[in-house]
Amino acid sequence: MASESISILLIVVSLQLMLLWPIGSSQSPGFTSIDCGSSYPSVYTDYEGIQWISDSNLISEGTSVHLSDNVLNQALATMRVFNGTQSKYCYSFTNSMNGYIVPKAFFLVRASIMPGTNPPYRPRNSDGMFRFKMIVDGDEWRDVQISYGDTTWWTFDVYVRAQRDRIDVCFSRDGPDGDAPFVSGLELRPLPPTLSSTIFMNGSGKILIGRGHSSYGVPSSGPSHVRYPNDTLDRYWISYRTSDSYLNSTERTINTLNVREHPPETILQTTFTVGPYFTLNWTGLEAGSEQYVQFYFAEINPLVNRSGIRVFSISANSRSLTTRLDVFGEVAANTAYSLPALVDADETRSILFVFTAVANSTFPPFLAAAEFFNTRLSNTLTSSATVDVIEATKNTLGLSNYTGDPCLPAGYGYNWLNCSEYNSEITAILLSNYQTGGKIPTELSQLTTLIQIFLDGNSLQGEIPDLSSLEKLSTLNLSNNNLSGSIPESLATLNNLKALYLQDNNLSGEIPSRLLQRKNASLLTFEFSGNPGLCESKSKCAASSPQSQSPDSNPKKSNIGLIVAIIVGCFILVLSTAAAGICLQWYCRRHASNLQNRSTKANEVSPVEQRHIQMQEVVNFNSFHQTKSKLLQITSV
Ligand SMILES: *[C@@H]1O[C@H](CO)[C@@H](O)[C@H](O)[C@H]1NC(C)=O
Ligand SMILES: *[C@@H]1O[C@H](CO)[C@@H](O)[C@H](O)[C@H]1NC(C)=O
Ligand SMILES: *[C@@H]1O[C@H](CO)[C@@H](O)[C@H](O)[C@H]1NC(C)=O
Ligand SMILES: *[C@@H]1O[C@H](CO)[C@@H](O)[C@H](O)[C@H]1NC(C)=O
Ligand SMILES: *[C@@H]1O[C@H](CO)[C@@H](O)[C@H](O)[C@H]1NC(C)=O
Ligand SMILES: *[C@@H]1O[C@H](CO)[C@@H](O)[C@H](O)[C@H]1NC(C)=O
Ligand SMILES: *[C@@H]1O[C@H](CO)[C@@H](O)[C@H](O)[C@H]1NC(C)=O
Ligand SMILES: *[C@@H]1O[C@H](CO)[C@@H](O)[C@H](O)[C@H]1NC(C)=O
Ligand SMILES: *[C@@H]1O[C@H](CO)[C@@H](O)[C@H](O)[C@H]1NC(C)=O
Ligand SMILES: *[C@@H]1O[C@H](CO)[C@@H](O)[C@H](O)[C@H]1NC(C)=O
Ligand SMILES: *[C@@H]1O[C@H](CO)[C@@H](O)[C@H](O)[C@H]1NC(C)=O
Ligand SMILES: *[C@@H]1O[C@H](CO)[C@@H](O)[C@H](O)[C@H]1NC(C)=O
């Protein structure tokens, strides 16, 4: 018995015929599913009755890529690649999409990712792995690592709590030289506030990063996974298939009423059981990090109690999770039971769960299903007052492409802002030479935490607004623009101002004397040359008139340069737009024919092709390696 080896071969799960057919929209309210990179059809219903919408009207950034693979799931046929240089690219799930997203409501967010056999580019790293980051609202969600050419359908999920009427899901490079992120599908599902997991989130302020919803003891003939409609919450429960000698199953209904998490009945009708004990080793965790697990059981063996009892304990890294030894002896026939627990990874970066029958137990321990999550404290989003100012600034300066939280998560805010580390207050605006135009947004005066403003080297017009409320402001660089009007007296009231650059604009009138005094007292670095209309005192102002400006003064020159640059720029833009149009036509034609080929192929998929499509949730996590006796191995990276 002791030397028996269990081989639990998993993962290579061929999805049952996943052809597309419309069966009416019977999906649960609040479900929102986005097919990334797709343009046609804009809305469709998949084989589970779930409605998908194209992302073409939801995001302006990124490039749509059609996979050349013969995929059987339409969401995987296209993906969106973000190969620009912004710090992150975000999709927003909004209340107007489903009416469900309100502050404090809970959601499952899931991303589907599949590079396919012909990814649009090669990963930077020589090990051939794509690496990028996923972000949800202000929190880091996952570091994605997937091999080039992988045809596995990877799904990643996270339980989050909305902080406003919107949830942003963002994709980011893993550093400036990192790989361009890509995604095939995004799904949002409401979660009731009464689940054990959401109650935990409410109490702790944490998000739960999914590491797997696992169904154990599934016979080889069983389904590869269970999801909606069997699971009303549409979690993906991946089947861990087991040889018949290590499982037990029933056709009888299971009462799941006393389990808060609403597990689907199907996953409780099969159960894994072997010997007087078995272990489950969850590895690849961060040392000392906190994890949330949930185990599910249902006594489906009618012999229990009639010819003996089943009593067992569970420990995690030697700490008992079952407070009373007999806790599972009380589970009635065909009634589900769950055990949620918080456990910390040890210094070997793993958690060893041991399921052990007590001495007088006639029946061995068992396990029907489990869920694994990393916990992470959720960041409070940047305040809506600050976000409103940034939104106004984006609109005024033509920067609306920047999406998601302006400051969070740390390191993934907008690259033209600096924020304080702890309370995400904006301390600097760094828009030097950003090729933006428009007026200086008056709303900036509300960002009273600002220390530095760099707006130099753009083509800003209009007057300098009243910034006297920015009491912390130390540097203001507005040089090299096309600002007009006079220098506001209010700038002189900024006591912390150490540097003021206004040179090379079109400012006019008298320079406030207090600014000149502070410059002369070396309290202020103050540059104002290259403004032909400026004068240092009343008497000089009277003497100089606009006509006396030298016609070939510096600002004019640079303005002419600018105009030439703009004309050349426009010309290039027109050319490239035309070229893009031609390319697009060619591309669409090509792909229309590919799609036709694909749909005919899909109807006659060979078993080999089917096996191509695999479904896993986490790198390595769902691979139960073939191991020694009674050891289930879980690895998460
Ligand atoms: C992004 O990818 C598209 C399509 O592959 C390509 O045309 C474009 O030049 C790329 N842009 C950048 C910034 O790499
Ligand atoms: C969430 O937590 C607050 C206190 O932190 C509590 O008042 C409230 O009832 C909780 N809500 C739920 C649904 O548990
Ligand atoms: C889902 O439920 C239906 C009926 O309740 C059942 O026939 C079907 O086998 C279930 N699917 C899976 C994958 O368990
Ligand atoms: C499975 O259940 C049957 C009764 O339904 C029982 O006879 C058998 O011993 C069980 N097998 C295991 C491995 O528990
Ligand atoms: C569990 O995994 C960790 C990390 O790989 C390893 O150090 C430990 O020995 C494993 N435990 C068992 C019982 O295999
Ligand atoms: C076994 O007996 C215990 C106590 O007598 C009872 O609480 C439990 O529900 C029974 N279990 C089954 C599976 O009938
Ligand atoms: C099983 O053993 C425990 C102590 O280990 C004891 O408390 C319990 O009553 C025993 N149960 C039965 C049914 O003998
Ligand atoms: C914003 O998006 C549009 C459309 O994709 C693009 O043409 C433009 O260059 C982007 N602007 C910036 C500042 O990234
Ligand atoms: C902005 O933040 C970056 C990165 O933390 C830092 O290197 C830089 O000095 C900051 N710039 C300003 C103007 O505060
Ligand atoms: C202010 O802007 C000008 C023009 O872009 C630039 O030359 C200068 O270095 C800037 N000053 C500082 C302190 O960055
Ligand atoms: C400077 O402003 C005046 C009006 O104040 C305008 O007539 C003139 O064209 C501007 N000069 C440049 C170079 O834009
Ligand atoms: C500068 O602004 C004035 C209006 O204030 C405008 O007439 C002129 O064309 C602008 N010059 C440049 C180079 O943008």
Side-chain angles (χ1 to χ4, degrees):
M1 183 97 174
S3 63
E4 258 168 12
S5 79
I6 340 165
S7 49
I8 307 167
L9 293 177
L10 302 154
I11 318 179
V12 187
V13 286
S14 48
L15 295 188
Q16 315 308 326
L17 213 60
M18 283 200 147
L19 292 179
L20 190 70
W21 72 81
I23 55 169
S25 69
S26 59
Q27 69 176 12
S28 279
F31 281 23
T32 303
S33 309
I34 300 175
D35 186 349
C36 306
S38 86
S39 48
Y40 171 82
S42 56
V43 177
Y44 63 88
T45 303
D46 75 6
Y47 52 90
E48 308 281 9
I50 287 169
Q51 248 187 30
W52 290 79
I53 53 172
S54 157
D55 70 345
S56 51
N57 294 323
L58 303 176
I59 197 156
S60 61
E61 296 294 302
T63 323
S64 165
V65 171
H66 289 253
L67 270 64
S68 58
D69 299 81
N70 180 17
V71 296
L72 296 175
N73 174 337
Q74 180 157 347
L76 296 175
T78 58
M79 62 184 178
R80 187 170 289 273
V81 184
F82 300 100
N83 61 352
T85 56
Q86 289 175 26
S87 54
K88 64 183 169 201
Y89 295 91
C90 304
Y91 284 90
S92 292
F93 287 99
T94 60
N95 184 276
S96 61
M97 286 175 169
N98 62 19
Y100 272 69
I101 306 177
V102 293
K104 298 190 175 170
F106 296 97
F107 297 91
L108 177 158
V109 173
R110 178 166 47 226
S112 287
I113 297 177
M114 175 173 133
T117 42
N118 285 303
Y121 71 95
R122 288 210 159 261
R124 300 286 173 101
N125 200 300
S126 57
D127 68 1
M129 298 292 277
F130 290 108
R131 285 186 179 78
F132 55 87
K133 249 181 213 301
M134 297 197 294
I135 290 164
V136 62
D137 272 346
D139 302 313
E140 289 191 31
W141 165 12
R142 273 308 287 246
D143 289 329
V144 176
Q145 260 190 60
I146 300 183
S147 343
Y148 183 89
D150 197 338
T151 52
T152 308
W153 170 16
W154 296 93
T155 66
F156 303 92
D157 66 28
V158 61
Y159 288 8
V160 297
R161 191 183 196 195
Q163 293 186 38
R164 49 187 177 190
D165 58 359
R166 200 175 98 206
I167 290 174
D168 292 334
V169 181
C170 312
F171 296 84
S172 175
R173 290 178 194 267
D174 205 6
D177 294 332
D179 295 322
F182 50 87
V183 59
S184 300
L186 283 176
E187 295 160 276
L188 177 110
R189 308 286 183 250
L191 294 174
T194 49
L195 304 181
S196 306
S197 49
T198 52
I199 290 171
F200 166 73
M201 290 166 72
N202 181 38
S204 64
K206 290 177 178 172
I207 59 170
L208 292 176
I209 298 166
R211 287 289 177 168
H213 314 267
S214 312
S215 174
Y216 296 117
V218 179
S220 50
S221 59
S224 64
H225 69 290
V226 173
R227 61 169 297 193
Y228 183 84
N230 295 60
D231 184 348
T232 51
L233 303 180
D234 196 18
R235 291 156 291 197
Y236 283 10
W237 297 85
I238 310 295
S239 298
Y240 283 65
R241 293 190 169 120
T242 308
S243 77
D244 288 350
S245 36
Y246 305 122
L247 64 83
N248 223 334
S249 63
T250 186
E251 304 265 285
R252 294 177 56 191
T253 51
I254 308 280
N255 175 4
T256 58
L257 285 179
N258 56 339
V259 177
R260 286 179 168 276
E261 222 67 12
H262 304 311
E265 184 183 30
T266 327
I267 62 161
L268 295 161
Q269 286 171 324
T270 61
T271 184
F272 172 80
T273 173
V274 55
Y277 80 94
F278 62 86
T279 65
L280 204 150
N281 198 6
W282 185 7
T283 64
L285 298 163
E286 203 180 304
S289 60
E290 181 192 74
Q291 319 298 325
Y292 182 86
V293 293
Q294 191 128 245
F295 295 114
Y296 299 90
F297 317 88
E299 185 54 78
I300 56 174
N301 188 342
L303 299 177
V304 170
N305 272 15
R306 209 181 302 153
S307 58
I309 56 166
R310 188 194 311 267
V311 185
F312 64 99
S313 65
I314 307 174
S315 68
N317 286 344
S318 306
R319 180 173 72 89
S320 176
L321 300 181
T322 40
T323 46
R324 291 181 301 154
L325 275 182
D326 61 344
V327 64
F328 295 110
E330 291 174 5
V331 178
N334 298 317
T335 298
Y337 187 87
S338 78
L339 178 78
L342 276 179
V343 286
D344 293 340
D346 64 14
E347 58 287 348
T348 69
R349 303 171 61 222
S350 60
I351 299 172
L352 185 70
F353 298 100
V354 183
F355 296 68
T356 319
V358 301
N360 56 7
S361 178
T362 338
F363 290 91
F366 66 173
L367 179 63
E371 291 182 287
F372 303 88
F373 299 92
N374 305 145
T375 70
R376 178 169 294 161
L377 200 60
S378 182
N379 288 314
T380 302
L381 292 173
T382 302
S383 75
S384 58
T386 301
V387 169
D388 288 348
V389 174
I390 295 302
E391 286 302 311
T393 306
K394 278 156 59 179
N395 289 336
T396 317
L397 300 181
L399 299 166
S400 355
N401 291 6
Y402 290 87
T403 49
D405 190 277
C407 292
L408 295 168
Y412 295 89
Y414 299 167
N415 45 20
W416 46 274
L417 290 176
N418 269 12
C419 303
S420 62
E421 198 178 333
Y422 297 108
N423 39 16
S424 63
E425 287 172 341
I426 292 168
T427 55
I429 296 208
L430 309 165
L431 284 167
S432 301
N433 307 310
Y434 244 70
Q435 281 150 24
T436 76
K439 293 188 169 182
I440 298 178
T442 52
E443 290 86 352
L444 283 187
S445 64
Q446 294 166 36
L447 289 182
T448 52
T449 49
L450 277 174
I451 298 170
Q452 290 168 312
I453 299 180
F454 291 88
L455 285 167
D456 52 287
N458 293 300
S459 29
L460 298 174
Q461 298 186 14
E463 303 197 356
I464 301 173
D466 180 359
L467 299 173
S468 56
S469 51
L470 305 184
E471 284 172 8
K472 294 185 175 161
L473 195 66
S474 147
T475 305
L476 177 62
N477 194 342
L478 301 176
S479 63
N480 250 305
N481 279 295
N482 186 15
L483 297 169
S484 53
S486 58
I487 299 176
E489 188 72 41
S490 57
L491 286 179
T493 66
L494 297 172
N495 290 327
N496 288 309
L497 194 66
K498 303 281 182 305
L500 177 60
Y501 302 94
L502 299 177
Q503 70 270 29
D504 299 328
N505 275 293
N506 191 12
L507 297 164
S508 55
E510 194 190 342
I511 299 171
S513 58
R514 280 168 68 194
L515 287 174
L516 292 170
Q517 281 161 18
R518 284 177 56 192
K519 176 183 163 80
N520 293 338
S522 301
L523 296 171
L524 177 70
T525 308
F526 181 24
E527 302 276 341
F528 51 82
S529 62
N531 287 286
L534 272 187
C535 48
E536 296 194 26
S537 68
K538 272 214 177 71
S539 49
K540 283 189 188 165
C541 285
S544 73
S545 71
Q547 285 83 357
S548 68
Q549 293 166 21
S550 134
D552 54 6
S553 63
N554 273 343
K556 273 242 166 106
K557 250 188 203 159
S558 63
N559 282 347
I560 288 166
L562 195 66
I563 290 167
V564 170
I566 287 171
I567 291 171
V568 170
C570 287
F571 186 67
I572 289 171
L573 191 72
V574 168
L575 272 189
S576 55
T577 311
I582 293 165
C583 285
L584 200 69
Q585 265 187 11
W586 172 82
Y587 187 79
C588 287
R589 241 183 265 140
R590 240 177 96 88
H591 278 264
S593 59
N594 272 0
L595 270 177
Q596 268 166 17
N597 290 348
R598 203 179 299 151
S599 54
T600 49
K601 265 191 209 153
N603 286 318
E604 37 177 72
V605 189
S606 75
V608 181
E609 279 169 325
Q610 273 198 27
R611 212 171 303 135
H612 251 272
I613 296 160
Q614 308 174 349
M615 182 168 148
Q616 296 178 325
E617 295 201 293
V618 204
V619 185
N620 292 335
F621 169 72
N622 281 319
S623 58
F624 265 26
H625 299 306
Q626 190 165 345
T627 51
K628 288 198 192 116
S629 170
K630 299 169 192 123
L631 179 71
L632 304 183
Q633 176 101 21
I634 306 180
T635 314
S636 70
V637 178

